[in-house]
Amino acid sequence: MQVLPVTSSHTLANQTNQTAGGYMTFSNSTTKSRYERIHTAPLKTIHDYPKTSVNLLDSLESFLSTFKKDLSAVSGQISELQDRSKAIENRLTTRRASQIQTSKIEKTLSGLLSDITIPPALATLILDSPVREPWIEGIDEFERRLVTIKARSRVKAARDLWEVAEGLRIVAATKIRAFFLALFQPIRGNATTNMQVVQTSVLLKYNALYAFLQRHAPDVAHEIQRSYVAAARVYYETGFRRYIRSLTWIKARFIEKHENIVVGVGEQENDSSQVDLERLAYAKIVGPGVTLAYMADDKSHKEPIEALFRSLLLVFMDNATSEYTFVKTFFSVEPSLPTKESSNSMLSPLSLRSPDRATFAERSMSGSDYGGGGGQRSVSAGITGALLAAETANKEEQATTDALWKQVMDPVTTYCEASLFSSLSTKLQMWPVFQKVMAENAEALKKLAEGGGSGYFNRAIATTDASVSSASPPAAFLFLRM
């Protein structure tokens, strides 16, 4: 908007006088017209100025009205955008929460699917490969998945996989059964098989496979157990029968001559070394080596009856303890699949075996003096019940182990008892002869003490310190052997 200058009346008068004084030579009409032209133009401008201002104000009012309408429209749009932004933010928050929940569900489902899904490599191992060392880890993994499928029976995916898992279980049980029966065949058919090597290097290495059968195919496990008992029974029976036969051959070669203890007393040629005190060493466990079966092949090999008796008992003790250790280790398997949590649990079998009931009762009574309440008594009762249950399970396991060992070693025990009783019965049958010999020895010592001792073919022996010293070792050795 243009602002025009405003001219006062005094200024206009001065301008008029100056003009009139300076230009009097012009005509009046010209002067009048110029005067009007000069002095009315500003007035017209001033007269038009309010109208122009009003027009400008109207334009400004129209502009402001339009701007107000536009601003109102923009305000409505901003409000709509804010509402949309809030809606989008709410949807984003809901989607984020849904994604978190979905991720949790996906993680859980992923863990479940990974636990119940049987990998193709594992299925191929069970179906197409023979039982070898890779089966040890493979069966452990398969058993964990099998247990998970059983526990998740409410899940449809687990129910769908159950038939596949059951089929693999049957195939695995069949192959493991054939594998163990093949291992027992050399034990049953060849008495020269090294039993300890088969037990420690082969059977114990595959103990996990038998544990799988015991938990998931108990009938097959029982069949394998009976097959092993039968094979080991035949093996030990055959081996000990042959060993006792070899000892009998060696025993027949050793013939002892019983002479009167005073024979040769007083003679310079009497050798006191006839009294073999070294035979007393066979009365101890730690002593000379045992007699082996192949020694019977040497016809010149001789050993006293004490050595044979000791060898038989040591061999029996060695084989019996070794067999009991194997039976205890191999056939005593946990009823459930071991886990890391169960080994660290307070009520795990390993932790329950450490204290006995008396010790635990003393600890419970001593601990009850420090603010013992109903809660502690209930916990103590629960742990005591768990201890009793574990003790009962241990007794049952011990009874089972003892029964298996007895079934395996019963023929060997019978053979050893028969061999020992035969020796004792022979000695009992020779008791009258022994009485007669002892009476003769006593009579000979009596005559020696009296200064006699002469016979048809030997002269009388004078009683001297040398003769008594010579007769003492045979007499002492005779009574020691009794």
Side-chain angles (χ1 to χ4, degrees):
M1 182 177 60
Q2 184 180 3
V3 180
L4 299 177
V6 181
T7 307
S8 63
S9 59
H10 296 287
T11 304
L12 294 174
N14 291 331
Q15 291 177 356
T16 304
N17 292 332
Q18 290 177 4
T19 304
Y23 299 99
M24 285 294 183
T25 58
F26 294 99
S27 62
N28 291 332
S29 58
T30 304
T31 304
K32 184 177 179 180
S33 60
R34 292 187 75 164
Y35 177 80
E36 290 178 355
R37 190 171 56 252
I38 294 172
H39 293 283
T40 57
L43 293 176
K44 290 178 67 176
T45 302
I46 293 172
H47 181 268
D48 295 336
Y49 177 72
K51 186 178 181 181
T52 304
S53 299
V54 170
N55 293 333
L56 289 174
L57 291 174
D58 292 339
S59 299
L60 180 61
E61 181 180 5
S62 177
F63 176 76
L64 291 176
S65 178
T66 303
F67 178 74
K68 183 178 180 180
K69 292 180 180 178
D70 294 340
L71 186 62
S72 178
V74 171
S75 177
Q77 293 178 358
I78 292 174
S79 178
E80 183 180 356
L81 290 176
Q82 289 179 347
D83 295 338
R84 292 180 61 185
S85 177
K86 289 181 180 180
I88 293 173
E89 184 177 359
N90 293 333
R91 291 174 59 187
L92 181 61
T93 303
T94 304
R95 180 171 294 181
R96 286 178 179 175
S98 176
Q99 288 179 351
I100 294 174
Q101 187 69 20
T102 304
S103 64
K104 292 181 179 179
I105 296 174
E106 288 179 352
K107 186 177 180 180
T108 304
L109 290 177
S110 177
L112 175 62
L113 292 177
S114 63
D115 290 339
I116 66 176
T117 303
I118 300 175
L122 181 59
T124 304
L125 175 69
I126 296 175
L127 294 174
D128 298 337
S129 65
V131 179
R132 293 293 184 270
E133 291 186 7
W135 273 62
I136 299 174
E137 296 181 359
I139 284 297
D140 181 72
E141 181 181 358
F142 173 69
E143 185 175 4
R144 294 182 187 278
R145 296 179 185 276
L146 185 63
V147 171
T148 304
I149 292 174
K150 288 183 179 179
R152 299 286 186 174
S153 58
R154 298 178 58 185
V155 181
K156 186 178 183 301
R159 293 196 301 270
D160 295 339
L161 287 172
W162 171 247
E163 294 183 358
V164 178
E166 182 67 12
L168 291 176
R169 182 193 69 83
I170 295 174
V171 173
T174 304
K175 287 191 173 183
I176 293 173
R177 172 186 173 275
F179 173 74
F180 278 113
L181 294 181
L183 290 179
F184 298 156
Q185 189 62 34
I187 300 175
R188 183 192 299 269
N190 189 1
T192 60
T193 303
N194 194 328
M195 187 70 162
Q196 281 71 28
V197 173
V198 174
Q199 290 176 346
T200 57
S201 301
V202 181
L203 295 179
L204 289 181
K205 183 172 69 174
Y206 292 99
N207 190 19
L209 303 184
Y210 178 77
F212 171 79
L213 294 180
Q214 196 175 42
R215 288 189 286 263
H216 300 283
D219 295 336
V220 179
H222 186 63
E223 179 185 357
I224 291 176
Q225 185 184 90
R226 287 187 287 106
S227 178
Y228 171 79
V229 169
R233 183 185 179 98
V234 172
Y235 173 82
Y236 285 113
E237 181 181 4
T238 305
F240 269 86
R241 186 175 65 250
R242 294 179 180 179
Y243 182 67
I244 293 174
R245 185 189 307 159
S246 300
L247 295 182
T248 304
W249 293 343
I250 298 176
K251 177 184 175 182
R253 298 169 188 165
F254 188 82
I255 301 175
E256 293 185 282
K257 296 181 180 180
H258 298 283
E259 296 181 352
N260 197 306
I261 58 178
V262 298
V263 173
V265 173
E267 297 180 0
Q268 294 181 356
E269 296 179 357
N270 181 32
D271 188 4
S272 61
S273 62
Q274 294 177 356
V275 180
D276 190 4
L277 297 179
E278 293 182 357
R279 295 173 65 177
L280 297 177
Y282 295 114
K284 299 179 181 179
I285 295 179
V286 180
V290 298
T291 303
L292 302 180
Y294 75 90
M295 295 180 180
D297 297 336
D298 186 4
K299 296 182 180 180
S300 61
H301 182 76
K302 298 179 182 180
E303 288 192 11
I305 189 173
E306 294 86 356
L308 303 179
F309 180 80
R310 174 177 173 272
S311 298
L312 176 61
L313 292 184
L314 286 180
V315 171
F316 172 74
M317 183 176 64
D318 179 64
N319 285 273
T321 53
S322 176
E323 183 63 24
Y324 187 86
T325 302
F326 172 76
V327 170
K328 179 72 174 177
T329 305
F330 187 79
F331 293 105
S332 299
V333 185
E334 295 183 5
S336 60
L337 188 66
T339 58
K340 296 181 180 179
E341 292 77 7
S342 62
S343 61
N344 297 327
S345 175
M346 181 179 65
L347 298 181
S348 63
L350 296 178
S351 62
L352 291 176
R353 292 179 182 176
S354 52
D356 54 2
R357 285 188 295 172
T359 305
F360 184 79
E362 292 177 0
R363 293 179 183 175
S364 301
M365 294 181 65
S366 62
S368 61
D369 296 337
Y370 300 94
Q376 293 182 353
R377 286 194 297 270
S378 62
V379 172
S380 299
I383 298 179
T384 304
L387 287 171
L388 294 176
E391 185 177 356
T392 304
N394 290 336
K395 289 182 179 179
E396 294 178 355
E397 181 179 351
Q398 185 71 28
T400 303
T401 303
D402 294 344
L404 289 176
W405 178 85
K406 186 176 181 181
Q407 292 177 12
V408 173
M409 303 301 296
D410 187 59
V412 178
T413 306
T414 303
Y415 276 116
C416 291
E417 290 178 353
S419 177
L420 297 178
F421 286 155
S422 64
S423 300
L424 293 177
S425 63
T426 302
K427 288 187 176 182
L428 291 177
Q429 292 174 3
M430 297 295 292
W431 178 252
V433 179
F434 178 75
Q435 283 183 323
K436 181 179 178 181
V437 171
M438 291 300 296
E440 291 177 356
N441 288 327
E443 186 66 24
L445 289 175
K446 182 179 179 181
K447 291 181 179 181
L448 178 64
E450 294 175 352
S454 60
Y456 292 104
F457 300 101
N458 51 4
R459 58 185 176 81
I461 302 173
T463 304
T464 60
D465 293 341
S467 62
V468 173
S469 176
S470 178
S472 296
F477 181 71
L478 179 63
F479 282 98
L480 286 175
R481 291 187 63 190
M482 291 173 61

